[in-house]
Amino acid sequence: MILKKLSLLNYKNIREATLELSPKFNCFIGPNGVGKTNVLDSVYFLSFCHSAYTTQDSMVIRHEEPFFVLEGEYAGGLRQDDTWNIYCGMKRGTKKHFKCNKKEYKRLSEHIGLIPIVMVAPGDTLLIEGGSEERRRLMDMVISQLDISYIESLNRYNKALLQRNTLLKVEDSEPDWDVLSILEEQMAVEGEYIYQKRDAFVKELTPLFQQYYETISGGHEQVSLTYVSHCQRGPLLDVIRRDRMKDRAVGYSLHGVHRDDLSILLDGHPMRREGSQGQLKTFVISLKLAQFGFLKQTNTRTMPILLLDDIFDKLDATRVEQIVQLVSGEGFGQIFITDTNRDHLDQILEKGHFDYRLFHVSDGEIS
């Protein structure tokens, strides 16, 4: 999929911009805090129906303005001559409107996966340093772009989990054990399906990830990625019910796929404890490029869009060079990249004779 034209109105600090884009490289140069990341976030929004940085849609509306509008014109998909106009608009105090070719979606989940996308951003180090919910979100985000039934199963699981937790928190009386049993059965059915999807994803992603890490690091370190789930202890329904009284004591569900995690090791030791800043950054970039490779080989409909936000910070020259060679190759489609340092982008542009656009960003103005 190629984003040919992007229009922004009152999106974060960008008052108004209409950008004619390159099918290969779109480079955004400027100091920190001027709006480069906001451009990439708008592209992310048009794919996922929300910002990468906030769950409150009203937070993306420019200060003192009553609304925002995003619009993207895309080409590609099942047929190269397919065209897609994606529109999102929202007034303060109302719900957002999301349309594809002027037809509004009944459910936003219908849109997820139409425009596959992978974003690499500085905050992605939370995948290592943050809690397990960050790593589950990563798995869910990638799988959801390929399988709408996964989103629906995840929603049903989370609804049953919320209801079970509500019953467990009842203090002045015993919970309705029959209702609790029904909710546990729902969690088990959906949880087993979610586990199977996540397990297959991690098994396919891991060799891609290790290959990218070895390339970028020059083979100096060995990394591993292991999926950890309560489903590996036996039938999920048995696992959930086994500690029901302990759940009752603490007031929430201790077991289920909502506690799944990824174990991340560097040379056999926890990456969180052993990794340097450069190694953490290398891990994140390798993992995101592996996601790109996974989506590309699994989704036969279209090439994903790659968003690279300030990826060269805290990396030595050798690792920067390896990343430049990777993204300059033919294995990638349309790329959006930001940097404060023009030299890094010049290295990329010198690597190949491909089309590119270079945008300068200053205080929300793009030229």
Side-chain angles (χ1 to χ4, degrees):
M1 189 75 80
I2 299 296
L3 178 55
K4 299 172 62 178
K5 184 177 179 180
L6 174 66
S7 299
L8 307 90
L9 183 61
N10 298 330
Y11 192 82
K12 297 190 174 180
N13 76 324
I14 302 172
R15 181 185 298 277
E16 185 174 4
T18 298
L19 310 178
E20 300 286 345
L21 299 165
S22 164
K24 183 58 179 177
F25 266 98
N26 296 279
C27 310
F28 296 86
I29 300 291
N32 290 324
V34 296
K36 304 186 303 296
T37 296
N38 295 340
V39 178
L40 269 61
D41 189 49
S42 72
V43 179
Y44 182 98
F45 200 116
L46 288 172
S47 284
F48 283 106
C49 308
H50 62 78
S51 166
Y53 299 101
T54 178
T55 57
Q56 296 183 5
D57 294 325
S58 61
M59 296 294 290
V60 307
I61 302 176
R62 195 172 188 269
H63 294 315
E64 312 303 328
E65 298 294 342
F67 67 94
F68 84 90
V69 172
L70 294 177
E71 192 167 5
E73 296 181 9
Y74 296 81
L78 288 173
R79 298 187 306 272
Q80 288 304 308
D81 58 351
D82 284 344
T83 58
W84 310 88
N85 177 274
I86 307 300
Y87 166 94
C88 182
M90 177 183 167
K91 294 181 180 179
R92 290 191 188 274
T94 66
K95 72 172 187 176
K96 64 190 169 193
H97 295 276
F98 219 95
K99 301 178 183 179
C100 178
N101 292 339
K102 300 183 178 180
K103 182 178 180 181
E104 187 155 3
Y105 286 104
K106 293 181 180 178
R107 295 181 302 168
L108 293 180
S109 60
E110 297 172 2
H111 178 70
I112 307 302
L114 177 66
I115 307 164
I117 203 164
V118 173
M119 184 173 186
V120 187
D124 288 335
T125 52
L126 281 175
L127 288 169
I128 305 166
E129 300 169 326
S132 59
E133 66 275 7
E134 299 292 339
R135 294 176 284 279
R136 288 192 298 275
R137 188 178 297 117
L138 176 144
M139 293 188 284
D140 295 340
M141 183 178 65
V142 180
I143 301 170
S144 295
Q145 293 187 73
L146 298 169
D147 189 352
I148 190 172
S149 62
Y150 181 84
I151 304 176
E152 294 168 347
S153 183
L154 195 62
N155 288 337
R156 288 192 295 268
Y157 178 90
N158 287 331
K159 183 178 179 181
L161 172 65
L162 179 62
Q163 291 173 329
R164 184 177 190 266
N165 285 347
T166 300
L167 286 177
L168 291 170
K169 290 175 183 177
V170 175
E171 295 182 358
D172 55 354
S173 63
E174 286 296 303
D176 188 324
W177 298 108
D178 291 336
V179 174
L180 204 67
S181 293
I182 293 172
L183 294 173
E184 290 166 348
E185 290 171 2
Q186 292 176 345
M187 287 176 60
V189 170
E190 304 300 343
E192 294 280 5
Y193 175 80
I194 292 165
Y195 166 73
Q196 291 170 10
K197 290 290 184 178
R198 288 176 177 173
D199 186 53
F201 164 67
V202 174
K203 286 177 179 175
E204 193 166 345
L205 181 78
T206 299
L208 289 171
F209 158 66
Q210 290 175 322
Q211 180 181 345
Y212 277 119
Y213 193 97
E214 182 176 3
T215 299
I216 296 173
S217 70
H220 293 150
E221 306 115 24
Q222 297 295 318
V223 289
S224 66
L225 198 63
T226 305
Y227 179 34
V228 181
S229 174
H230 290 146
C231 288
Q232 294 158 346
R233 301 181 182 180
L236 186 55
L237 183 58
D238 294 344
V239 174
I240 293 172
R241 286 180 172 170
R242 193 175 299 152
D243 285 322
R244 183 190 268 180
M245 298 315 296
K246 187 182 293 184
D247 292 354
R248 173 75 173 126
V250 298
Y252 57 88
S253 303
L254 291 168
H255 297 90
V257 295
H258 61 287
R259 305 297 293 268
D260 285 1
D261 203 352
L262 292 173
S263 173
I264 301 164
L265 300 180
L266 172 70
D267 292 331
H269 303 284
M271 170 74 82
R272 184 195 312 225
R273 192 176 65 226
E274 299 290 333
S276 66
Q277 287 187 321
Q279 288 168 331
L280 296 182
K281 195 75 176 276
T282 302
F283 173 91
V284 167
I285 294 171
S286 302
L287 188 60
K288 291 303 187 82
L289 293 182
Q291 288 178 43
F292 183 95
F294 174 83
L295 286 170
K296 185 176 72 170
Q297 69 186 27
T298 307
N299 187 346
T300 57
R301 295 178 300 170
T302 183
M303 176 84 77
I305 294 172
L306 183 61
L307 310 178
L308 303 174
D309 187 20
D310 192 24
I311 65 169
F312 299 116
D313 185 42
K314 298 183 176 66
L315 291 175
D316 59 47
T318 301
R319 298 191 186 215
V320 169
E321 174 68 17
Q322 292 297 335
I323 294 169
V324 168
Q325 290 185 6
L326 281 171
V327 300
S328 302
E330 296 181 356
F332 293 89
Q334 190 177 34
I335 297 174
F336 292 74
I337 186 168
T338 71
D339 207 333
T340 57
N341 186 341
R342 174 73 184 264
D343 294 340
H344 292 147
L345 297 181
D346 284 341
Q347 285 184 55
I348 293 175
L349 301 177
E350 290 171 1
K351 289 292 177 181
H353 302 286
F354 39 67
D355 189 78
Y356 70 90
R357 301 285 187 276
L358 189 61
F359 299 93
H360 293 273
V361 186
S362 177
D363 295 326
E365 299 291 328
I366 307 170
S367 60

